[in-house]
Amino acid sequence: MTSFTEENYLKVIYKLSSETDSEVSTNAVAEQTQTKAASVSDMLRKLSEKKLVSYQKYQGVRLTAEGEKVALKVIRKHRLWEVFLVEKLGFNWDEVHDIAEELEHIDSEKLVAKLDEYLGFPSFDPHGDPIPDHHGVMPAQTYLTLAEIKKGEEVIMMGVSEHSSAFLQYLDKINLVLGTSIEVLDINNFDKSLQIILSQENSLFITHEVSKNILVKVQ
Amino acid sequence: MTSFTEENYLKVIYKLSSETDSEVSTNAVAEQTQTKAASVSDMLRKLSEKKLVSYQKYQGVRLTAEGEKVALKVIRKHRLWEVFLVEKLGFNWDEVHDIAEELEHIDSEKLVAKLDEYLGFPSFDPHGDPIPDHHGVMPAQTYLTLAEIKKGEEVIMMGVSEHSSAFLQYLDKINLVLGTSIEVLDINNFDKSLQIILSQENSLFITHEVSKNILVKVQ
DNA sequence: GAATAATTTTAGATTAATCTAAAAATTAGT
DNA sequence: ACTAATTTTTAGATTAATCTAAAATTATTC
């Protein structure tokens, strides 16, 4: 069995190694788990003994196939619960992360299966993140960031890569929500800020930093 | 803040002291929490320091008003989640206890409020147990056990006082579920076993032990 | 390519929750 | 009311997860 704490480490290692696609450093894990490097070292040794990660001292860490399986289960549960909270209970998308961080550790295969069915087998969570299926397979997701879109193109907002409440509330305020069509009217060469039109109606400016965190698909 | 473990102790103390309406013994708590008396002593000292219980060495323990408030919140969450699992996800009533034991510790006032609303503010869980409202007030519940009903009387099944999977599955098998009408046809003087008629149709025998664990109301 | 800086690991403690074994207090039996 | 039985508490350990401080390793820079 994996503890609450071990599951969190595996989840963090999964996230970091899928971002960089290489070994994850002790410090990076410490930062994400809000612990100290010394604590991470200890835990990596322990997870390594359990064959959930492959770990060479001083050389960073990777998930084993088994560890990835556990991480994907936790991520699956997290995202399914987020869908539940938003779709069924009426939470806003900026309110659900912390609650899902707790719910993701509830241990019942049958519960996950029934929840999945109840929600209609969703492929994406309220932030547009893909939900692994019960085999741990992630739905294909080939999005671009809004920062990569050329002037004149029109795209649809499909997700975010920053999940902070502050960012999500800002997007709500400017009516930039999942499914919105976005046309890039103009790109400022100096600071890469954008002028965009939402739903062929509202024109507004956003910074490059914001555009980098918005995931879109070309129509 | 109260830990997962502390919450379980408070819940057990609540349950035991509402059964006997007096101080709860260390051994009784140990039995319910599946721990040893020595561990209970330690925990009672700790809960006492936190003012969640009033505890005199060797004299048993009671909840303080504050401790009862915490216990009732946990019980409320447990029972609401059980309703969710049965009503929304389609679980059987004998499958939900262990899952609700985990869900009851999820910490979000807003989640509880929204879940309650989503479920239509239920007053009783799938076993007929009353659900405290958001002030911690239990709905009035003045049931008798089937063992107390006289020959010839007809009652409605409202709940159970034994929650084991084995017992609940047995009730399912004999079609004795919440809401069923039960007429006491005959009472065996020797062993107090009963002959009953369910829904004015099926006649069957049940033991005294079973009848003691079935809660009913007179029509 | 040595010296310095940064990162990572180890050593030794701490906290929460548990245990066993022994001591202390309470309860029961005659 | 005194002894015996039972219950409860204390003492001392253990495990999981964390920490700080010091040591070891790796990376960087001149």
Side-chain angles (χ1 to χ4, degrees):
Chain A
M1 270 306 300
T2 47
S3 71
F4 188 106
T5 309
E6 288 167 347
E7 287 185 355
N8 281 335
Y9 274 92
L10 294 173
K11 198 178 54 167
V12 161
I13 296 166
Y14 179 90
K15 187 187 163 198
L16 291 171
S17 68
S18 66
E19 277 167 9
T20 69
D21 204 41
S22 70
E23 271 75 22
V24 174
S25 76
T26 300
N27 262 352
V29 175
E31 196 186 330
Q32 284 283 317
T33 53
Q34 316 249 59
T35 59
K36 302 292 159 143
S39 312
V40 175
S41 281
D42 262 359
M43 182 56 86
L44 295 185
R45 192 187 35 68
K46 185 179 157 194
L47 291 173
S48 183
E49 275 167 23
K50 287 190 163 193
K51 313 271 190 206
L52 295 167
V53 303
S54 59
Y55 167 57
Q56 309 270 74
K57 277 199 269 186
Y58 296 101
Q59 303 305 310
V61 68
R62 267 180 190 281
L63 295 181
T64 60
E66 183 57 29
E68 182 171 304
K69 208 170 120 186
V70 175
L72 283 165
K73 275 189 186 181
V74 176
I75 290 167
R76 170 168 160 78
K77 287 187 280 182
H78 183 104
R79 293 179 180 170
L80 284 174
W81 280 115
E82 285 199 345
V83 173
F84 169 72
L85 294 172
V86 169
E87 296 292 317
K88 301 294 186 182
L89 296 195
F91 277 92
N92 205 318
W93 68 343
D94 66 298
E95 301 175 304
V96 296
H97 183 78
D98 290 351
I99 302 176
E101 286 287 297
E102 296 190 52
L103 287 164
E104 74 190 8
H105 301 292
I106 303 290
D107 178 33
S108 165
E109 293 273 352
K110 189 163 184 179
L111 173 59
V112 180
K114 284 194 175 269
L115 182 64
D116 194 20
E117 182 185 1
Y118 184 58
L119 299 172
F121 306 104
S123 297
F124 298 93
D125 79 11
H127 311 104
D129 293 318
I131 302 176
D133 71 14
H134 70 113
H135 296 112
V137 178
M138 285 277 194
Q141 187 210 32
T142 55
Y143 301 146
L144 299 169
T145 72
L146 184 55
E148 296 167 288
I149 303 305
K150 300 212 169 51
K151 180 172 167 175
E153 286 197 273
E154 188 171 349
V155 295
I156 305 243
M157 171 158 174
M158 299 305 288
V160 291
S161 50
E162 155 74 39
H163 295 71
S164 72
S165 197
F167 182 62
L168 298 175
Q169 282 172 19
Y170 164 72
L171 294 184
D172 271 343
K173 204 165 74 183
I174 64 175
N175 285 311
L176 192 37
V177 297
L178 295 202
T180 303
S181 87
I182 307 173
E183 186 188 340
V184 176
L185 263 194
D186 201 15
I187 304 175
N188 181 329
N189 284 325
F190 172 64
D191 63 4
K192 298 183 184 157
S193 65
L194 299 180
Q195 187 173 11
I196 60 180
I197 294 188
L198 299 188
S199 313
Q200 282 118 19
E201 286 182 9
N202 311 325
S203 168
L204 56 94
F205 284 99
I206 59 174
T207 65
H208 181 58
E209 192 56 31
V210 167
S211 70
K212 279 194 299 183
N213 287 300
I214 291 171
L215 303 175
V216 299
K217 71 167 184 205
V218 181
Q219 300 221 259
Chain B
M1 269 306 300
T2 47
S3 70
F4 188 106
T5 309
E6 289 167 347
E7 287 184 355
N8 281 336
Y9 274 93
L10 294 174
K11 197 178 56 165
V12 162
I13 296 165
Y14 179 90
K15 186 187 163 199
L16 291 171
S17 69
S18 66
E19 277 167 12
T20 68
D21 203 41
S22 69
E23 271 76 20
V24 174
S25 76
T26 300
N27 262 352
V29 175
E31 196 186 332
Q32 284 282 316
T33 53
Q34 316 250 57
T35 59
K36 301 292 160 144
S39 311
V40 175
S41 281
D42 263 359
M43 183 55 86
L44 295 185
R45 192 188 32 69
K46 186 180 157 194
L47 291 172
S48 182
E49 274 167 24
K50 287 190 162 193
K51 312 271 189 207
L52 294 167
V53 302
S54 60
Y55 168 57
Q56 307 271 72
K57 278 199 268 189
Y58 296 101
Q59 304 305 309
V61 68
R62 267 181 191 281
L63 296 180
T64 60
E66 184 57 30
E68 182 171 304
K69 208 169 120 186
V70 174
L72 283 166
K73 275 189 186 181
V74 176
I75 290 167
R76 169 167 160 79
K77 287 188 280 183
H78 182 103
R79 294 180 180 170
L80 284 174
W81 279 116
E82 285 199 345
V83 173
F84 170 72
L85 294 172
V86 169
E87 297 291 318
K88 301 293 185 182
L89 296 194
F91 277 92
N92 205 319
W93 68 342
D94 67 297
E95 301 176 303
V96 296
H97 183 78
D98 291 351
I99 302 175
E101 287 286 298
E102 295 190 51
L103 287 164
E104 74 190 7
H105 301 291
I106 303 290
D107 179 33
S108 164
E109 294 271 353
K110 189 163 185 179
L111 174 59
V112 180
K114 284 194 175 271
L115 182 64
D116 193 20
E117 182 185 1
Y118 185 58
L119 299 172
F121 305 105
S123 297
F124 297 94
D125 79 11
H127 311 103
D129 293 319
I131 302 175
D133 72 15
H134 73 292
H135 295 111
V137 178
M138 286 277 194
Q141 187 210 32
T142 54
Y143 302 145
L144 299 169
T145 72
L146 184 55
E148 296 168 287
I149 303 305
K150 300 212 169 50
K151 180 172 168 176
E153 286 197 273
E154 189 171 349
V155 296
I156 304 240
M157 172 157 172
M158 300 304 290
V160 291
S161 50
E162 154 73 39
H163 295 71
S164 72
S165 196
F167 182 62
L168 299 175
Q169 282 172 19
Y170 164 72
L171 295 183
D172 272 344
K173 203 166 75 183
I174 64 175
N175 286 311
L176 193 38
V177 298
L178 295 203
T180 304
S181 86
I182 306 173
E183 186 187 339
V184 177
L185 262 195
D186 201 16
I187 304 175
N188 181 329
N189 283 327
F190 172 64
D191 63 6
K192 297 183 184 159
S193 64
L194 298 180
Q195 186 173 13
I196 60 180
I197 293 187
L198 299 189
S199 311
Q200 281 119 19
E201 285 180 12
N202 311 323
S203 168
L204 57 93
F205 284 97
I206 59 174
T207 65
H208 181 58
E209 192 55 32
V210 167
S211 70
K212 278 194 301 184
N213 286 300
I214 291 171
L215 302 175
V216 300
K217 72 167 182 206
V218 181
Q219 300 219 256

